[in-house]
Amino acid sequence: MRRPFPYLAEALTLVALIAAPFILPHLGFTPSTINRILIWGMVGIGFDLLFGYTGLLSFGQSAFFGSGGMFAAYLLTQTSMQNTLLALLIGTVAAGVLGYLVGLVALRRTGIYFAMITVAIAEVFFYLEFNPLSDFTGGENGLAGVPSPSVSLGFTTLEFDSNLSMYAFFAFWYFVALALALRIVRSPFGLVLRAIRENPLRAQALGHDIRKYKLAVFVVAAMYAGFAGGLLGMMQGFMPPDAFMFATSGEIVMQTAIGGAGTLFGPLLGAAVWLYLSDFFQVTLKLGATWKLILGLVFVLLVVFLRRGLAGGIIDLWQLIRPKPAKVAAAPAPAPASGAETAEMQVARKSTRTHEGPILQVTGLTKRYGGLLANSDIDFSVDHGEIRGIIGPNGAGKSTFFKMLTCEVPPTSGKIVFDGREITGMGVIEACQQGLTKSYQINQLFEKLTVRQNLEIAALGELRGKFKLDLFKNLHKVRKLDAHVAGTAALVHLTGRLDTHVSELAYGEKRRLEIGLALATTPSLLLLDEPLAGMSAEERVETVALLKSIAQGRTLVIIDHDMDSLFELVSKVTVLQEGRLLVEGTPDEIKSNAQVQEAYLGGVMEEI
């Protein structure tokens, strides 16, 4: 859904930046503190893209903050370069290159291990600055004599050497940095970042190369830090060595947490609170070293009582006082359309019955986990346009078999050929890009996002490929995206819920969305892992009707324990037992098969 005032955030920011130097001094902010707030806020924008939008907690931003600043300061103090903007640019690029190299190493791990690697990287950079590279960085003395910013216009040179003019220079660049960041988070690239934050494994299963996206945003965050580091040196007249300290990274994290992660504005608010209280406790109250203890307690209280930070609290307050739109009741899935499908439904279709022969061929597929044999020597084939069912008792190896088919886990031995191409050993990203997609038994959705955003994430993998660096492109300018999302939503009967957050959906709607995510990738072969799991009787009837409607002209493989519903849907059934293929046949043949009855504990199939 397009926003009614697309540039409201930028307009309000511009007004606030113009007013700040005239209002904040009356609240006790010194000119130096105001300028430092802008610098820390700029570092925080990059960190927020990394942490708030992608979910990557880095404690290594000080390495890029210091490196970018040192590169710029060295050029301006140790060489003949006098162009401050060029020095800033070179420092920013240098920080980005370092970010790329560090990211190649750090992003090999996730979670706490990624965070610990960034801590180690920050300490390595701190050591290098103080010891082997001290001849270039000035060691513990830093680099003195960094000139204040200036801009040559040819006929004149603008000097930013007073507090107010320097504020104007910093405010301009902060506004540019924020505007660029807003473009990034509103772009297709930015939406994939949020998908990675919410559910990285599902983002990957929808065909997105999440490691490349993580590396790209890591580099962007490093460049933001590097540019801000250059500004710090120009503001102070020297580049301080403490920019490399781990404490600097810690302050960036805490300021973002105070202000509100995932907002872009939060880091600026957090920096304002942090620096104001720091000055207040040290200069006004003269607390000495005790100020760190008190500021730490303030940080804990703010995080405990404002879990989304100051910006998040403001957003929550606005949502409480603004008029609330009428809620749309959860609607049951309508009956499948008779006759020809609507145009909207056809949008979400790629595979048709124009092909003949097998689309999937599996030979000798085996999976071992140590001494446990999950699947053993399975031969399996599915034709174009076929609707195949897979059944078997609990522990029969159905889920492991599905995971091997979608390349989530590699087989121990055997071969998988999909649409004429061997995909054995291929990754799940490439398998999805080839047209082989799966819906999950337990919903794997992006819970904090809307239904529309969920479907957009899935569709982007199909429309853009596994990675694209379109950081500044309008999301709705992606060709066919809106039509693709609308068509898929119509197909799974969620058109009226597109702008509803997934967390507010009923369970049956979530199951339909789970199927919709897989459909939005326009798969040639769709694997459905227990699509009826956990549903009420009424929801099962609705979902069976949905599956019948999407089955027309598509190739589906379905696992489910509800055999009445499954046999109503499929034309052929494969039975697994103890990891092996037991028997295959039509639903009627399976119902009367003695081996199947024995597998289901003494003839339970006779009652079907």
Side-chain angles (χ1 to χ4, degrees):
M1 182 175 63
R2 291 175 173 83
R3 295 170 296 122
F5 305 104
Y7 300 108
L8 179 62
E10 289 89 336
L12 292 177
T13 300
L14 188 59
V15 171
L17 290 174
I18 293 172
F22 305 103
I23 296 175
L24 292 183
H26 297 290
L27 300 177
F29 289 84
T30 65
S32 175
T33 299
I34 296 172
N35 288 340
R36 292 176 72 88
I37 289 170
L38 290 175
I39 292 173
W40 284 101
M42 192 179 301
V43 181
I45 290 174
F47 177 73
D48 202 20
L49 289 172
L50 187 64
F51 175 58
Y53 284 88
T54 318
L56 296 173
L57 178 57
S58 170
F59 287 98
Q61 297 310 104
S62 60
F64 312 119
F65 183 55
S67 296
M70 280 295 178
F71 266 97
Y74 181 85
L75 292 172
L76 293 171
T77 60
Q78 307 300 313
T79 73
S80 60
M81 181 177 291
Q82 297 180 351
N83 190 322
T84 55
L85 285 181
L86 181 59
L88 280 172
L89 178 61
I90 294 174
T92 302
V93 172
V97 172
L98 291 172
Y100 176 79
L101 297 175
V102 170
L104 289 176
V105 176
L107 291 169
R108 290 179 173 273
R109 294 292 181 265
T110 59
I112 188 63
Y113 300 104
F114 166 79
M116 291 301 99
I117 290 174
T118 61
V119 170
I121 292 295
E123 291 299 314
V124 168
F125 273 70
F126 178 71
Y127 169 78
L128 291 174
E129 189 274 336
F130 263 78
N131 292 282
L133 299 179
S134 59
D135 290 341
F136 301 95
T137 65
E140 62 183 13
N141 297 317
L143 289 176
V146 180
S148 57
S150 61
V151 177
S152 175
L153 301 178
F155 59 91
T156 187
T157 299
L158 300 178
E159 297 286 349
F160 301 92
D161 50 8
S162 66
N163 285 324
L164 186 59
S165 64
M166 195 172 289
Y167 171 84
F169 184 80
F170 293 164
F172 170 80
W173 287 113
Y174 176 84
F175 180 78
V176 170
L178 181 66
L180 291 176
L182 286 169
R183 289 295 300 270
I184 291 173
V185 301
R186 295 167 183 165
S187 71
F189 180 92
L191 184 57
V192 176
L193 294 185
R194 278 178 278 182
I196 294 170
R197 177 195 65 195
E198 296 297 320
N199 194 333
L201 294 180
R202 188 56 192 271
Q204 187 169 260
L206 292 172
H208 298 291
D209 191 337
I210 65 173
R211 188 175 178 188
K212 286 185 178 179
Y213 281 99
K214 288 179 179 179
L215 181 58
V217 75
F218 195 84
V219 171
V220 170
M223 294 177 73
Y224 269 91
F227 189 85
L231 294 182
L232 177 68
M234 293 179 186
M235 186 196 81
Q236 297 185 153
F238 82 104
M239 188 61 206
D242 58 1
F244 286 92
M245 295 178 65
F246 174 72
T248 300
S249 290
E251 288 182 15
I252 295 168
V253 174
M254 288 189 283
Q255 289 171 14
T256 303
I258 291 172
T263 63
L264 294 184
F265 299 94
L268 185 70
L269 292 176
V273 171
W274 182 272
L275 294 175
Y276 175 78
L277 291 179
S278 175
D279 288 348
F280 179 74
F281 291 147
Q282 292 181 83
V283 179
T284 305
L285 298 184
K286 303 185 184 303
L287 294 179
T290 311
W291 74 272
K292 292 185 178 181
L293 172 63
I294 298 175
L295 194 56
L297 293 175
V298 171
F299 167 73
V300 171
L301 292 173
L302 285 172
V303 171
V304 168
F305 291 103
L306 288 173
R307 295 188 179 183
R308 296 180 59 201
L310 294 171
I314 294 170
I315 293 170
D316 290 341
L317 180 62
W318 166 247
Q319 291 176 342
L320 282 175
I321 62 176
R322 72 172 181 174
K324 295 179 175 58
K327 287 190 176 181
V328 179
S338 59
E341 287 182 322
T342 64
E344 289 83 0
M345 289 182 176
Q346 292 175 5
V347 170
R349 163 183 295 204
K350 181 167 69 176
S351 178
T352 67
R353 292 183 185 273
T354 56
H355 297 88
E356 295 181 356
I359 187 174
L360 180 71
Q361 291 177 296
V362 172
T363 307
L365 205 62
T366 300
K367 181 62 181 178
R368 290 183 179 274
Y369 292 100
L372 175 65
L373 187 63
N375 291 120
S376 176
D377 200 29
I378 296 177
D379 293 334
F380 179 77
S381 178
V382 178
D383 289 337
H384 280 277
E386 182 182 347
I387 312 300
R388 175 70 65 89
I390 298 180
I391 64 172
N394 288 331
K398 302 185 297 296
S399 294
T400 302
F401 182 55
F402 252 32
K403 287 179 180 179
M404 286 191 288
L405 294 184
T406 53
C407 300
E408 292 177 81
V409 297
T412 304
S413 62
K415 183 168 72 170
I416 305 171
V417 177
F418 172 67
D419 211 10
R421 177 180 179 182
E422 184 174 353
I423 62 170
T424 314
M426 185 179 285
V428 65
I429 301 169
E430 288 75 17
C432 180
Q433 290 290 327
Q434 291 296 317
L436 180 57
T437 310
K438 162 187 165 184
S439 76
Y440 289 79
Q441 175 186 354
I442 299 174
N443 292 332
Q444 296 292 322
L445 305 172
F446 306 103
E447 290 280 338
K448 293 182 181 180
L449 304 180
T450 64
V451 172
R452 186 189 303 277
Q453 289 171 321
N454 273 254
L455 294 176
E456 286 173 341
I457 290 164
L460 286 173
E462 161 67 14
L463 299 174
R464 294 165 61 252
K466 62 183 180 180
F467 175 75
K468 191 170 184 179
L469 207 61
D470 48 0
L471 284 79
F472 306 119
K473 185 173 185 176
N474 188 308
L475 180 64
H476 299 286
K477 294 292 179 65
V478 176
R479 188 170 176 266
K480 296 183 179 180
L481 177 63
D482 291 342
H484 198 101
V485 169
T488 307
L491 194 59
V492 294
H493 312 305
L494 288 172
T495 301
R497 306 288 272 168
L498 278 172
D499 296 310
T500 303
H501 281 83
V502 172
S503 58
E504 299 175 13
L505 296 179
Y507 180 76
E509 292 176 311
K510 289 184 178 182
R511 291 303 294 162
R512 300 208 301 271
L513 179 59
E514 173 65 37
I515 296 170
L517 288 188
L519 283 172
T521 66
T522 60
S524 302
L525 174 59
L526 174 58
L527 309 181
L528 301 173
D529 192 354
E530 299 199 31
L532 305 177
M535 290 188 174
S536 65
E538 182 180 357
E539 288 172 333
R540 284 170 181 260
V541 171
E542 295 167 355
T543 304
V544 168
L546 169 66
L547 293 176
K548 284 182 177 179
S549 70
I550 68 174
Q552 299 175 28
R554 291 184 173 82
T555 308
L556 272 65
V557 179
I558 307 172
I559 290 178
D560 212 280
H561 288 293
D562 185 343
M563 284 177 284
D564 284 328
S565 300
L566 186 69
F567 288 174
E568 184 182 344
L569 287 166
V570 304
S571 58
K572 190 174 181 180
V573 179
T574 298
V575 184
L576 297 182
Q577 183 185 24
E578 296 180 353
R580 299 176 183 272
L581 194 154
L582 180 64
V583 67
E584 290 184 328
T586 65
D588 289 338
E589 291 171 342
I590 296 299
K591 290 178 185 179
S592 59
N593 187 284
Q595 289 179 291
V596 176
Q597 293 174 10
E598 180 65 26
Y600 277 87
L601 303 177
V604 70
M605 298 292 291
E606 293 177 349
E607 301 175 7
I608 298 176

